[in-house]
Each structure stands twice: as C-alpha cells, then as structure tokens.
Amino acid sequence: METRSIKKELAIRGMKVLHFICSVALFVGCWYLYYKKMYATANHPKGEILLALVYALVLLLLERTYDAYNLGYRKLSENIYSLTLSQVIAAGALWVITCLIFMKLTNPLPLMGLAAVQFAINLCWGVLANKIYTKLNMNKRTIVLYGKESDLTRTEELTGLTTKFNVQKTVCVSGMQYSEIEKLMEDFEAVVVCGVEATVRNGIAKYCIEKGIVGFVAPHVGDVIMQGARHVRGFSVPIMTVRRAEPAIEYLFVKRAFDIIVSALGLIITSPLFLIISIAIKLCDGGSIFYKQVRLTKDNKEFKILKFRSMREDAEKDGVARLSSGEKDTRITPIGRIIRACRLDELPQLINIFVGQMTIVGPRPERPEIAAQYIEFIPAFSLRLQVKAGLTGYAQVYGKYNTDPHDKLEMDLMYINKMSVIEDLRLMVATVKILFMRESTDGISEGQTTAMAKAEEAPKEIPGEAPAEGSEEA
C-alpha cells in the first residue's frame, strides 16, 4: 500500500476511533453521575470497569452489524441513524441488565438525555467526517460498462453516490472485443460492471487488479452459487464442489429450538400489541382481523401465512395477485398504513414459526402465482426454496420491498451459502434497523402487479449467461 493511501486510511480510522471513544466516555460519564449511587457501586470500581467494557463491546458489535462507520457509500442520514440506533440499543441493554441484576427499576430519562446528546454529536461528526472523507478520496473518475439498458438501470444506486464516484462515461459493451474494452478503461480510477458476459468480465477484473483500479461488479447467479463451493482436497488440480444446501444436523436442531423459544417469548411479550391491533382493525372497518394467504416454503411446499389485515377485504376482487404499490395504494386501510410502516402486520407470523411452517431467518415466502411469473423469466428463482422460508433474511435487511427479484435471489443465495447460528443472530439484530426505515417498505410502481419491471420484454435466463432481470416481494 502506498504511503499516501496509508495516511488517508489512518486519518479515516482515527476519526472513527475518536468517535467510538467519545460514545463510550459519554455513557460512562452518564452512569457515573446519575446511576452510580443508585446501584451502590462506589465500593466496586471493578464492576464499573466491567460495565464500561460490556457497553463498549455491545456498541462495537452493533455498529459493525449496522455498518455505522461506512463512510462514502451511504447517505449521511443513514450513518447518523445507524450510530444513534447502536448507542440507544447498547445503553438500553445495559439498563435492562442492571435492573434485573439489582432488582431495581431506575429512571431511564438520563439515558434518553444521553441519546439526545449522542445524536447531536453524531450529526456533527457525520458532517465533518464525510467532508474529510470526500476531500481525502475525491470523486473517482468512473466508467460504467453494461450489457443492456436494464443493466444500466441496476447500477443507478451505485453510480448515484457522488461522494465516491464521478461517472464520466457509460458504455454498452455488448458485442465489443475485449481489447476495445481495455482501451476504454484507460485513465479511469473506478470501473462499474453489470450484465457483461462472464469471459469479458473476468478480463476486466484482472485488468483492475493489475492497474490498481477499483472494480465494482454485479455478480451473476452462477457467481453467487460458486461463493458457497467447497474445495475438494486430494486432487492435484483445484476442484470445487457445488451442491444443494445441506446444513449440519446440529445447526438445524439449534435453529428449530431457537425458533420455538423466540417465537413463544415473542407471542407472550407482544400479546398486548395483538389485542390493541385486533381491536383497531375491527373498529376501522369491522372486517376480519387476520389475513391468510398461500405461500411457498422449502421444496415448493405450500402453507398459509398469517398477517394482520392491512388492506380492504376486497383488495384482489379482480382475482389478480399483486404486490402493494406503497403509500399510494388505495387498498390499504388507515390502520393498515400504521402497522405496515413498522412491520407490525407481520407479527402473527410468529405463530407460523412456532408450528414449524416458517423460521425466523430465511428467504421470504413468495406467493405461488407471483413465483411462477418470476420463474418464467428467471428459472434460478426456485433455488430460494432450498431452505425453509423466514420472517426476515439477507434480502430483507439489505434490499427493499420492491427490489428486483433477480437481486433478491442473489442475496438469498448469499445467505444460503453461509447459514450459521452467528449469521442468523446477526441478521436478527440487523433487522431492528430496517423496522424504522421508510424506504425499506417502498412499493412497486403504479400499474405493476409484481416487482418485475417490463417482464414481457425480459429475455429468459440461459444457463452460463447473465440472467434476466426481475423482482420479488420482500
């Protein structure tokens, strides 16, 4: 690494470390000034040190889970939100733990005041850190290489990050020779590749590494599958093996036990919410409280998913299966808008989890009619059904309700490739963040029935080539 790059990296890391130390110091100061006497810890300095270390560890894990220090690649508002949420959850967890240990319920208002102070600091730090980051990294001169127009659309979110990219050229490379493409990349600092033939794309990747250029590549389904491939030892040549998802029996046992315990506790804790929401739905239009809908789970098995009804009972009176178009969808009831905003309509699925039809973490279950439409244009879409459907998952945390189904398929396959207890816990914690993010519930465009854009124009996926685009429900 060049000396200049090392200095920039040290400067950015220094800002992050300084902010983290400040966050921990503020919590320790709040605890020392207000809670110390209440918990009689004056004669137990080791206990206070332990408390500070536990807070620092929990805060660090949360900030890493929420990518709170991911400068340059996200909106400033999301960074501030992630930092503040991490601090609030960490402080709240320590408050609950100490209340249980000392059997004493203390006033949480000082911690709320701490949250307000930390939010103000996060705001100031975020603005300053982003300015410094931009100044140090500048906007990279970027070229976008794509296969067809729909691929260019997929890169809009990436190329819209003006703090990181300065897109100076977009080129459709379909049918071009690699030597021509290599000439196009000269004098650029970053390359974005999407929908390009695998052989050409591999050459671009090698060129980026050789020239020290930053490459951003949208993978094919086959690439994601290969991420989960295992090296077969014993041969004199490198051999990789790919197979259907086969989680260890120990993992499946722990996962099922965890599902039962968490769903049971969830149903008990949220029972007051069940009552309030049920009464509200009844008072709203007098209709049924719950909504049942056939969905698909592991090995294409059908089951009836449970939700609090958030739409009119005649929402699909025309017999056409369609996703929600978001806030502008006139089928959503007034109560429905409230419970959908923070995903409370999904609470009854704890029952589906308890009885074993679903799991907490896994690909979201799709409707058979909509899944059939997606599979028509994206045959690999059925690969999501290797595992049991879940309440939340990789695609829900990092995607949106209206995210392209091809992209969600790849995200779900990324989860299937690395399923583990730790990964499940990480995704559960990460889910808390998206509950209050409005954009994560964006609906499909008006006039669409699924999230697939211009499905009638989309070419079918051909094995070995870049798959066609589409969409799925979150």
Side-chain angles (χ1 to χ4, degrees):
M1 187 181 290
E2 296 179 2
T3 304
R4 184 180 176 184
S5 297
I6 293 175
K7 288 181 178 180
K8 288 195 295 184
E9 182 67 20
L10 287 174
I12 293 168
R13 289 194 178 222
M15 290 190 299
K16 296 176 182 179
V17 171
L18 185 62
H19 178 272
F20 181 79
I21 293 173
C22 180
S23 298
V24 175
L26 282 171
F27 173 79
V28 172
C30 176
W31 199 270
Y32 184 84
L33 292 173
Y34 189 84
Y35 292 103
K36 180 179 178 180
K37 294 180 180 178
M38 293 185 178
Y39 288 117
T41 57
N43 297 320
H44 303 282
K46 290 183 179 179
E48 292 180 358
I49 294 173
L50 179 62
L51 188 74
L53 290 175
V54 171
Y55 174 81
L57 178 61
V58 173
L59 181 61
L60 180 62
L61 290 174
L62 287 168
E63 288 178 339
R64 289 179 65 87
T65 299
Y66 297 144
D67 287 329
Y69 290 115
N70 189 4
L71 298 173
Y73 290 96
R74 299 192 307 181
K75 295 178 181 177
L76 173 62
S77 58
E78 189 174 349
N79 283 116
I80 295 170
Y81 168 61
S82 298
L83 287 169
T84 306
L85 182 63
S86 300
Q87 293 160 347
V88 169
I89 294 177
L94 266 293
W95 179 77
V96 171
I97 290 172
T98 49
C99 285
L100 291 174
I101 291 175
F102 293 97
M103 297 300 291
K104 181 188 294 184
L105 187 63
T106 54
N107 187 0
L109 287 179
L111 290 180
M112 294 180 184
L114 171 66
V117 172
Q118 287 179 325
F119 172 77
I121 292 175
N122 294 340
L123 181 60
C124 296
W125 179 87
V127 172
L128 180 62
N130 269 277
K131 285 185 177 180
I132 295 174
Y133 182 90
T134 302
K135 186 175 181 180
L136 290 175
N137 288 276
M138 302 177 63
N139 292 342
K140 295 185 182 296
R141 297 189 306 278
T142 304
I143 181 172
V144 179
L145 307 176
Y146 63 95
K148 53 183 181 293
E149 288 301 319
S150 57
D151 296 318
L152 183 60
T153 303
R154 287 180 68 194
T155 66
E156 286 179 354
E157 183 177 355
L158 187 66
T159 56
L161 298 169
T162 55
T163 57
K164 191 71 176 177
F165 303 96
N166 176 17
V167 179
Q168 298 182 345
K169 203 169 191 178
T170 58
V171 182
C172 176
V173 297
S174 181
M176 291 179 62
Q177 295 294 322
Y178 174 72
S179 57
E180 298 176 83
I181 297 172
E182 193 170 283
K183 289 181 181 179
L184 288 172
M185 293 186 288
E186 293 178 359
D187 300 323
F188 286 100
E189 298 174 298
V191 178
V192 176
V193 184
C194 185
V196 176
E197 184 184 346
T199 304
V200 176
R201 182 208 55 195
N202 293 345
I204 294 172
K206 292 175 185 175
Y207 178 86
C208 288
I209 294 172
E210 290 172 356
K211 301 297 182 180
I213 296 173
V214 181
F216 298 86
V217 182
H220 298 168
V221 172
D223 299 327
V224 180
I225 292 174
M226 286 304 298
Q227 287 178 5
R230 297 180 182 178
H231 176 221
V232 181
R233 298 178 179 84
F235 296 97
S236 59
V237 293
I239 298 293
M240 307 296 288
T241 178
V242 293
R243 62 178 66 185
R244 188 175 177 81
E246 295 180 356
I249 295 176
E250 297 83 359
Y251 167 68
L252 294 176
F253 176 80
V254 172
K255 188 178 181 72
R256 181 60 190 140
F258 190 74
D259 284 345
I260 293 173
I261 295 170
V262 173
S263 59
L265 289 174
L267 287 168
I268 293 171
I269 294 171
T270 60
S271 56
L273 271 177
F274 267 74
L275 180 61
I276 294 170
I277 294 172
S278 298
I279 294 173
I281 293 173
K282 268 295 180 185
L283 292 176
C284 182
D285 60 8
S288 57
I289 295 171
F290 296 106
Y291 175 65
K292 297 180 181 180
Q293 190 180 72
V294 176
R295 295 289 181 98
L296 298 176
T297 187
K298 184 181 179 182
D299 297 327
N300 215 39
K301 292 180 181 178
E302 295 185 353
F303 73 101
K304 288 187 177 180
I305 197 171
L306 284 173
K307 289 188 176 186
F308 281 122
R309 185 174 59 84
S310 60
M311 291 188 175
R312 302 193 313 267
E313 292 198 281
D314 62 349
E316 291 183 355
K317 58 184 178 182
D318 57 1
V320 178
R322 53 167 57 85
L323 304 185
S324 168
S325 55
E327 291 186 351
K328 55 185 177 292
D329 197 324
T330 57
R331 299 174 300 160
I332 302 177
T333 64
I335 294 300
R337 294 188 188 283
I338 297 173
I339 61 176
R340 286 171 72 97
C342 47
R343 313 293 180 89
L344 292 177
D345 59 321
E346 309 283 356
L347 276 179
Q349 286 164 50
L350 290 172
I351 299 173
N352 293 117
I353 295 171
F354 185 77
V355 300
Q357 295 170 326
M358 291 176 61
T359 183
I360 294 176
V361 181
R364 283 295 289 163
E366 190 55 80
R367 299 178 66 173
E369 305 91 335
I370 294 177
Q373 294 180 50
Y374 293 158
I375 292 172
E376 182 181 354
F377 296 98
I378 314 173
F381 194 77
S382 60
L383 294 177
R384 301 169 70 254
L385 301 177
Q386 297 178 71
V387 296
K388 191 182 292 186
L391 178 63
T392 186
Y394 201 93
Q396 282 60 57
V397 171
Y398 300 107
K400 299 178 184 178
Y401 180 85
N402 60 0
T403 294
D404 185 280
H406 172 267
D407 294 334
K408 282 193 174 180
L409 164 63
E410 292 182 342
M411 291 182 189
D412 286 329
L413 290 177
M414 288 175 182
Y415 165 71
I416 292 172
N417 284 343
K418 56 181 181 181
M419 288 187 298
S420 67
V421 174
I422 298 299
E423 181 66 8
D424 287 352
L425 289 173
R426 190 187 70 79
L427 288 173
M428 286 176 62
V429 174
T431 301
V432 176
K433 175 185 171 182
I434 66 169
L435 292 178
F436 309 102
M437 293 177 64
R438 192 174 180 181
E439 58 267 30
S440 67
T441 57
D442 287 345
I444 59 174
S445 300
E446 190 173 353
Q448 292 180 252
T449 56
T450 71
M452 184 177 291
K454 298 183 179 180
E456 69 279 4
E457 300 177 7
K460 290 189 177 182
E461 179 183 350
I462 301 174
E465 295 187 3
E469 317 311 327
S471 279
E472 82 160 320
E473 179 181 6

